[in-house]
Structure formats: structure tokens, C-alpha cells
């Protein structure tokens, strides 16, 4: 009896000691794909740098379908990790707005918008109001995530919201104006994405006006007027002082009404050529391409049909780089190819985006044969370089980077038509990489992957079903065989001892 009491006391003591130690040396294992719940170095630095506490009110509904409820669980897992790295400067609470009308009103007044989702209950489908959002507050400043889209890059949204609260002065990114470039309104999707961490504003640059003070990165997008050498000299001075430049340039243009395309010149291509980077006066054509609407006539009737247009390549081959990480498809139109010839050891070029294996180049000018039947023999020059980064080391010791895309229109919205998501991501990622030294760019495309078994192929589902059934039985059998062998060996040893 005494021995039993001592054993119980030892076990209790060990548990208490382990509990105390775990509070000081707490750790969690992340066994998910791509370490989804392991915070990046950039996030850890942001949390460690917090000087004042941030409160998070997470408004998430309960009893949601599994694929939506997972978003709440993922959000909570992230907040646990954020709180651990914040030195008690992040406090969070979860609120279920569906519990009462007052909480529902509180959530909506805070900016959390409910969505209607379909829920199956007792073999019937019904609609339910669901809240999936959060409010971040630091003193009198607030940041809101009105709706957490399942599968969205959660760490990026959390870290950028916290950084936006914690950082009072955002770096400035300029959009160069004065030479026929688009306005910021025409880059509204890019601006919305950049405004999270930067102040994206128009910047007048000409012969007598240098790049404004405070701008770390300047974007030069689709100039249509000739840019004087003196103005380009202002860009050189900006680069020599450590600035960075994003360039999206048209070297050719096409008119679908006249089915004719020709080369254009603004002076920027000559300026880049002096640095060793040639934007060729050609059209990149690709069998992997977008479609265009074409009016056709059959008998007395006119109808519209979509036809493949190789002059609108879909770029899906990217180098492994923070700018292109996570990109799947960027749609270009009348893009040109890049070619780099080193001028000296101070300048390097890294190609980042390429056409597909079935692509080619056509020298401008060109007539577009919309009805042409394209064959493999038309695509003889694979993997044309469409975008890349030119890095320079200047005599004064400064370094600068120029990100170049040989299509000036890809990030610009045409009327009410939204820009392709990855078109926006390419420009935003590039500017983020040029401007940000925290590393948050690598989180922009880090999403939470949800893979329901219902979407698996039948063969895979059958394999998993039998594996779940048979593996535990197999483990029990193996354990039994091992135990039986151990006991058998013990009996043999005892018999040998008795025999001796």
C-alpha cells in the first residue's frame, strides 16, 4: 500500500513538473504540407517588434460545414502562434455572432460582413448566415478583415494587418506620370493590393523634375510618348542613389480592327539597351494562349465566336523566385521577347517568366490572320523570356534593381473588365520585392490547402478506405506476432536456465 501511494505521488509530481516546464518551453510540431502553420521569419520579426498590445476580435460562426469550419480552426491556430511570438502583445477572443442579435449587430457595425452559405440539416438544404472576419485594434487604430476567404493566404493577411497597424509611416511607391502612362485609377486593383503596406501615389518625373524624395520604388507602366534622354537621366540618378524601378513596356502594338501590328519606340528600350537588356521589336506567339471574340457570318446570320489568338500568350512557366512564387497564369497581349547581353561585370539579368514550349517570335510589323489554322510547325522557339530582373552595382557602392516586363498593358484594367488575378499579383509581387525588406512577399501566395476526400478519384478513395480499415488490423497483428515472439524467447531462456 505504501509503495502504491509513493508511485501515485511520483506520477502526480512528474505531471505537475511537466506542466510547469511546458509553460516555459512550449512547442508544437507542424506536420502540414509546406509547414503551413510555421510562422515565417518576417512574421516573427513583426511580432517581436511590437511595443504596444494589439487586440483581435475574431467574429466566426459555429456549426459550419467542415470545409468552412476549417477556416476558423486555421485562424485560431495562427493566432496561437502569433501570441506566442508577441511577448503578450497580442490578445485575441472569438465571438459567435449567431448567438444573439446584439452580437450580430456588433459584428456588422465593426465591418464584418456575413455571407449566406448552404448547410445540410436532416437531409435538407437550408441557408445560414455565416461570419468569418476579424477586427485588429492598436490604441485608436483599426484594421479589418471583413471576410476570411477559405484557402486565402492567411499568414499574409494577418501579418500585413498587424504591420499596417504597427507601422505609422508606410514606404512610398511612385507611379511615373507625364508621358502617356495610365493613371492610378486604371491600376485600381494594383493600388488596392499595394495600399496595404505602401503609399502608392502618382509621381511626375521629367527633364527638370527628379524622382520625388521618399520614393523607394518607381513604376514606369506603358508610356506612349517619347521620353527624353534628360528624363531618363533622372531615372539613372534615382537608381544610382539606391532606388528601384518597375518597367512594363510595349515594344509593339496591335490593332484587331485592322488586323495589323507594328513596332513602337519611346526611348526606354534604347535606355535599357545601353544596360545590356534588349526588348526586341517582335511578337511572342504561343499555342498556349487566350481567346478573342470574332464576328463571323454564315448565310444571312452574324454570330460571335471565340477563337484562339496566339498573339495573346498565357505565361505559366516561371523561375523559382519570390516574385513569381505561387503564380499560375499571367495573360499577356502583344508581348515581346527579352534578350540580355552583358556589358560589364556590374550588371546581371535573371529571367523570370517564359513562354511555353510551343511558342515562337514574329518580327514586327505583322498582319494578324485571325482565321489561321495554327500547327506545331508555327511554334519553333520555345521558352522566350517575357520578364526578368536587371540588377546593377554602381561605382558609389549602391545596388539597384529594374524589374522588366515586355508587355505594358498586362496590369491595366480595360473599362469595367477586371484584370486577371495573377496579372495583378505579378506587378504587386515585383514592387513588393523591390520595396520591402521584411520578406512578407513570400507569404502573399501561401494559402491553406483544403482537400476534401469527395474530390478524390474513385480509385484513390477506395485505396484510402481499405487502408483505413486494414492498416489498424495489420498493426495489431504485427504487435501480436512480436509479443508472441518475445514471450517465446523468454520461455526458451527460462528452460535453458532450468536445464543448466
Amino acid at each position: 500500500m505504501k509503495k502504491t501511494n509513493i508511485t501515485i505521488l511520483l506520477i502526480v509530481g512528474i505531471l505537475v513538473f511537466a506542466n510547469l516546464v511546458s509553460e516555459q518551453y512550449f512547442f508544437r510540431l507542424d506536420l502540414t504540407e509546406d509547414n503551413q502553420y510555421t510562422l515565417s521569419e518576417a512574421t516573427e520579426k513583426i511580432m517581436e517588434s511590437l511595443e504596444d498590445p494589439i487586440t483581435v476580435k475574431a467574429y466566426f460562426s459555429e456549426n459550419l460545414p467542415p470545409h468552412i469550419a476549417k477556416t476558423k480552426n486555421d485562424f485560431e491556430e495562427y493566432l496561437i502562434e502569433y501570441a506566442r511570438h508577441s511577448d503578450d502583445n497580442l490578445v485575441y477572443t472569438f465571438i459567435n455572432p449567431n448567438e444573439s442579435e446584439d452580437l450580430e449587430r456588433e459584428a456588422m457595425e465593426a465591418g464584418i460582413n456575413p455571407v449566406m452559405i448552404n448547410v445540410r440539416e436532416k437531409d435538407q438544404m437550408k441557408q445560414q448566415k455565416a461570419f468569418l472576419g476579424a477586427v485588429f485594434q492598436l490604441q485608436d487604430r483599426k484594421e479589418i478583415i471583413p471576410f476570411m476567404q477559405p484557402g486565402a493566404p492567411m499568414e499574409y493577411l494577418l501579418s500585413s494587418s498587424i504591420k499596417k497597424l504597427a507601422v505609422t509611416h508606410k514606404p512610398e511607391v511612385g507611379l511615373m506620370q507625364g508621358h502617356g502612362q495610365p493613371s492610378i485609377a486604371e491600376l485600381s486593383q494594383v493600388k488596392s493590393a499595394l495600399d496595404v503596406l505602401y503609399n502608392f501615389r502618382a509621381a511626375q518625373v521629367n527633364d527638370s523634375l527628379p524622382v520625388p524624395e521618399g520614393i523607394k520604388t518607381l513604376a514606369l507602366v506603358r508610356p506612349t510618348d517619347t521620353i527624353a534622354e534628360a528624363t531618363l537621366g533622372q531615372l539613372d540618378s534615382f537608381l544610382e542613389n539606391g532606388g528601384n524601378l518597375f518597367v512594363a513596356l510595349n515594344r509593339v502594338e496591335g490593332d484587331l480592327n485592322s488586323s495589323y501590328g507594328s513596332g513602337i519606340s519611346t526611348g526606354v528600350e534604347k535606355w535599357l539597351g545601353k544596360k545590356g537588356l534588349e526588348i526586341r521589336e517582335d511578337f511572342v506567339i504561343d499555342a498556349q494562349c487566350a481567346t478573342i471574340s470574332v464576328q463571323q457570318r454564315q448565310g444571312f446570320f452574324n454570330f460571335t465566336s471565340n477563337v484562339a489568338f496566339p498573339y495573346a500568350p498565357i505565361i505559366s512557366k516561371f523561375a523559382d523566385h519570390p516574385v513569381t512564387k505561387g503564380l499560375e497564369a499571367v495573360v499577356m497581349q502583344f508581348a515581346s521577347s527579352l534578350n540580355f547581353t552583358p556589358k560589364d561585370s556590374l550588371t546581371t539579368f535573371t529571367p523570370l517568366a517564359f513562354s511555353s514550349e510551343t511558342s515562337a517570335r514574329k518580327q514586327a510589323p505583322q498582319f494578324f490572320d485571325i482565321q489561321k489554322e495554327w500547327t506545331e510547325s508555327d511554334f519553333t522557339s520555345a521558352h522566350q523570356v517575357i520578364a526578368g530582373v536587371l540588377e546593377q552595382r554602381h561605382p558609389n557602392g549602391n545596388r539597384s534593381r529594374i524589374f522588366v516586363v515586355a508587355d505594358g498593358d498586362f496590369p491595366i484594367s480595360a473599362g469595367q473588365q477586371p484584370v486577371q488575378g495573377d496579372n495583378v499579383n505579378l506587378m504587386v509581387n515585383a514592387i513588393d520585392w523591390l520595396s520591402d525588406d521584411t520578406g512578407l512577399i513570400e507569404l502573399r501566395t501561401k494559402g491553406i490547402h483544403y482537400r476534401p476526400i469527395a474530390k478524390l478519384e474513385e480509385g484513390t478513395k477506395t485505396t484510402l478506405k481499405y487502408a483505413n480499415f486494414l492498416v489498424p488490423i495489420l498493426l495489431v497483428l504485427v504487435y501480436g506476432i512480436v509479443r508472441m515472439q518475445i514471450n517465446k524467447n523468454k520461455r526458451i531462456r527460462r528452460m535453458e536456465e532450468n536445464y543448466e
Side-chain angles (χ1 to χ4, degrees):
M1 184 70 179
K2 183 178 179 181
K3 186 176 180 181
T4 302
N5 291 337
I6 293 173
T7 302
I8 293 173
L9 288 174
L10 284 173
I11 292 172
V12 172
I14 290 170
L15 291 175
V16 171
F17 177 75
N19 190 49
L20 292 173
V21 170
S22 67
E23 293 218 352
Q24 298 295 323
Y25 302 98
F26 176 79
F27 73 95
R28 290 147 62 92
L29 294 177
D30 185 355
L31 302 178
T32 59
E33 180 184 2
D34 298 330
N35 294 324
Q36 291 173 11
Y37 303 111
T38 300
L39 299 187
S40 66
E41 184 179 348
T43 294
E44 291 180 1
K45 286 181 180 179
I46 291 172
M47 300 311 297
E48 291 168 1
S49 67
L50 290 180
E51 297 180 356
D52 298 305
I54 289 179
T55 59
V56 182
K57 283 189 177 181
Y59 294 92
F60 279 77
S61 300
E62 301 286 349
N63 302 319
L64 298 173
H67 67 285
I68 300 178
K70 186 177 185 300
T71 303
K72 174 183 179 296
N73 296 335
D74 292 334
F75 196 83
E76 187 170 8
E77 291 291 336
Y78 268 116
L79 288 180
I80 291 171
E81 292 298 314
Y82 275 70
R84 283 185 53 221
H85 289 86
S86 70
D87 194 22
D88 297 327
N89 275 326
L90 186 135
V91 180
Y92 62 90
T93 57
F94 274 81
I95 299 169
N96 179 13
N98 300 100
E99 287 185 346
S100 69
E101 291 185 1
D102 289 340
L103 290 176
E104 193 172 297
R105 185 166 53 252
E106 176 187 319
M108 290 190 287
E109 288 176 354
I112 309 302
N113 304 318
V115 294
M116 301 304 295
I117 60 172
N118 293 323
V119 179
R120 181 176 291 278
E121 190 174 281
K122 295 181 180 179
D123 296 328
Q124 291 184 343
M125 294 296 294
K126 70 172 188 177
Q127 284 201 319
Q128 175 181 328
K129 190 181 292 184
F131 292 82
L132 296 164
V135 178
F136 298 75
Q137 185 164 356
L138 174 62
Q139 297 175 356
D140 59 343
R141 301 194 299 278
K142 290 184 179 181
E143 278 299 315
I144 301 169
I145 300 178
F147 176 68
M148 180 58 70
Q149 180 73 36
M154 198 171 286
E155 185 179 353
Y156 175 76
L157 291 171
L158 282 165
S159 296
S160 57
S161 296
I162 292 170
K163 183 179 178 182
K164 193 172 180 181
L165 281 175
V167 176
T168 55
H169 178 72
K170 294 190 290 186
E172 293 194 338
V173 174
L175 178 64
M176 186 172 168
Q177 301 284 275
H179 305 88
Q181 298 99 323
S183 65
I184 283 187
E186 294 175 87
L187 294 166
S188 56
Q189 289 173 254
V190 172
K191 176 175 171 56
S192 296
L194 286 175
D195 276 350
V196 173
L197 297 175
Y198 305 99
N199 178 22
F200 187 47
R201 66 181 182 88
Q204 293 287 337
V205 181
N206 55 41
D207 303 4
S208 57
L209 283 176
V211 179
E213 289 287 336
I215 288 180
K216 190 171 185 178
T217 299
L218 183 69
L220 172 57
V221 179
R222 198 203 62 189
T224 55
D225 300 334
T226 300
I227 301 180
E229 287 190 14
T231 304
L232 295 171
Q234 301 279 25
L235 298 184
D236 278 322
S237 298
F238 173 67
L239 294 170
E240 288 171 8
N241 290 326
N244 296 310
L245 192 61
F246 174 88
V247 177
L249 185 69
N250 284 336
R251 191 68 178 91
V252 291
E253 61 182 357
D255 185 351
L256 293 178
N257 292 323
S258 62
S259 297
Y260 180 73
S262 59
I264 57 176
S265 177
T266 60
V268 178
E269 71 285 345
K270 293 180 181 178
W271 178 71
L272 289 171
K274 293 176 182 178
K275 302 177 187 300
L277 183 61
E278 176 191 8
I279 304 182
R280 297 187 179 114
E281 192 175 312
D282 61 15
F283 294 90
V284 172
I285 60 171
D286 200 321
Q288 180 178 284
C289 60
T291 60
I292 59 172
S293 297
V294 176
Q295 289 287 338
Q296 294 181 320
R297 184 177 180 84
Q298 187 171 357
F300 295 101
F301 300 99
N302 291 324
F303 63 95
T304 302
S305 62
N306 292 326
V307 297
F309 190 58
Y311 291 89
I314 296 177
I315 308 302
S316 60
K317 180 177 175 58
F318 303 98
D320 184 14
H321 192 274
V323 171
T324 54
K325 186 178 180 181
L327 296 181
E328 294 181 356
V330 177
V331 181
M332 304 283 185
Q333 185 163 309
F334 306 128
S336 299
S337 62
L338 298 175
N339 180 56
F340 178 67
T341 304
K343 297 290 185 181
D344 52 49
S345 60
L346 299 178
T347 306
T348 59
F349 179 72
T350 305
L352 295 180
F354 311 84
S355 60
S356 74
E357 291 184 356
T358 51
S359 60
R361 297 167 45 217
K362 283 189 173 292
Q363 198 67 30
Q366 283 287 325
F367 283 98
F368 309 136
D369 184 358
I370 306 297
Q371 304 299 335
K372 177 180 171 61
E373 294 290 335
W374 297 87
T375 64
E376 289 187 8
S377 62
D378 293 310
F379 306 104
T380 56
S381 301
H383 304 154
Q384 294 297 312
V385 180
I386 306 295
V389 59
L390 188 72
E391 301 188 57
Q392 292 179 284
R393 194 167 68 249
H394 300 280
N396 60 7
N398 288 333
R399 292 176 178 268
S400 63
R401 298 179 290 195
I402 308 175
F403 192 95
V404 181
V405 185
D407 176 20
D409 298 288
F410 83 94
I412 303 171
S413 56
Q416 300 299 318
Q417 187 72 21
V419 180
Q420 178 88 2
D422 274 351
N423 285 34
V424 175
N425 289 337
L426 176 59
M427 180 170 177
V428 172
N429 286 358
I431 290 178
D432 209 352
W433 179 72
L434 294 170
S435 309
D436 181 43
D437 55 4
T438 65
L440 277 181
I441 179 178
E442 297 187 4
L443 307 180
R444 192 184 294 277
T445 52
K446 181 182 177 182
I448 297 297
H449 305 290
Y450 174 66
R451 295 184 174 90
I453 194 170
K455 293 187 178 181
L456 296 177
E457 295 180 359
E458 285 301 321
T460 305
K461 285 195 286 187
T462 302
T463 302
L464 289 175
K465 180 175 71 174
Y466 283 108
N468 285 334
F469 175 72
L470 295 174
V471 168
I473 296 175
L474 182 62
L475 291 175
V476 171
L477 290 174
V478 170
Y479 175 74
I481 292 170
V482 171
R483 289 279 304 184
M484 184 176 66
Q485 187 63 40
I486 291 173
N487 291 333
K488 183 179 178 180
N489 292 338
K490 286 181 179 178
R491 287 196 300 270
I492 291 172
R493 284 197 300 270
R494 288 172 184 168
M495 290 176 64
E496 289 176 347
E497 289 173 359
N498 292 333
Y499 180 77
E500 291 174 358

